Amino acid sequence: MRDGSGYTCGTCGRRHDDLPLSYRTRAPAFWSEQLAEDDRSELTSDLCVIRGEHFFVEGNIEIPLSDAEGTFTWGVWVSLSAANFGRTTELWETPGRESEGPHFGWLSTELPVYGVSTIELKTHVHTRPVGEKPFIEVEPTDHPLAVEQRTGMTMARVRQIAEQLQHAGWR
């Protein structure tokens, strides 16, 4: 999603038509292209298994905007236990799956804009209706990502993130 107003980039000096309100990563931080050849590993747009023993789901960390309508969204990967991953995939196409309680997970995406690692932050994965990515709740700590999820971010912060990430190949 994009806000439509555009901005002049402080990194390249050019005008960009849109200010992105979301970014995603293609795979968990622990994935490598060599794993694509491993029969026990699989990566889809929603789920990932590494060597048959590490399990991940993609979801959204949503951050309210404090000075505009809407939210900023990080599309991230979270590791789940084998049992919780099994339950998640069992209910994947089941209407009403959102009534399932949250599952504990470890954040498995590095978000470089926070100055400290986001890998292995504690999270709760909240299942949503069929067709919607899970909501990822970061455990409330003093980590800057957790603070932003609780308190929100400004459009100036969104612009700062865009200036840092767009020129590094993020989308």
Side-chain angles (χ1 to χ4, degrees):
M1 180 164 63
R2 305 194 181 245
D3 83 338
S5 63
Y7 69 104
T8 301
C9 182
T11 301
C12 70
R14 288 185 296 174
R15 177 108 182 124
H16 295 281
D17 291 335
D18 295 310
L19 184 58
L21 293 177
S22 67
Y23 293 90
R24 296 200 147 327
T25 57
R26 190 180 85 67
F30 309 105
W31 179 261
S32 70
E33 290 309 313
Q34 294 81 9
L35 290 168
E37 303 299 319
D38 182 336
D39 290 341
R40 299 165 300 149
S41 299
E42 180 180 13
L43 174 65
T44 71
S45 60
D46 298 304
L47 304 169
C48 180
V49 177
I50 296 179
R51 296 190 178 100
E53 55 190 50
H54 303 285
F55 308 94
F56 306 87
V57 64
E58 189 191 32
N60 294 327
I61 295 174
E62 296 169 356
I63 300 173
L65 297 173
S66 58
D67 59 354
E69 292 291 318
T71 60
F72 178 89
T73 303
W74 290 113
V76 298
W77 292 86
V78 174
S79 69
L80 296 175
S81 69
N84 287 341
F85 185 81
R87 182 72 177 153
T88 296
T89 57
E90 175 186 331
L91 297 175
W92 198 255
E93 296 293 332
T94 304
R97 71 182 190 166
E98 63 274 14
S99 63
E100 182 82 1
H103 298 297
F104 175 81
W106 297 99
L107 188 58
S108 300
T109 298
E110 187 66 72
L111 301 173
V113 301
Y114 290 102
V116 291
S117 181
T118 55
I119 297 289
E120 297 190 359
L121 287 177
K122 294 178 180 179
T123 68
H124 294 281
V125 179
H126 298 266
T127 304
R128 289 183 167 160
V130 173
E132 294 183 33
K133 300 268 187 196
F135 170 72
I136 309 300
E137 175 188 11
V138 179
E139 182 177 270
T141 64
D142 62 352
H143 188 284
L145 174 59
V147 171
E148 278 187 341
Q149 190 175 42
R150 284 193 313 273
T151 63
M153 71 169 57
T154 64
M155 289 303 292
R157 173 74 170 133
V158 172
R159 179 179 168 173
Q160 177 188 48
I161 290 170
E163 290 175 350
Q164 184 174 351
L165 295 184
Q166 282 195 300
H167 298 287
W170 282 68
R171 295 282 174 227

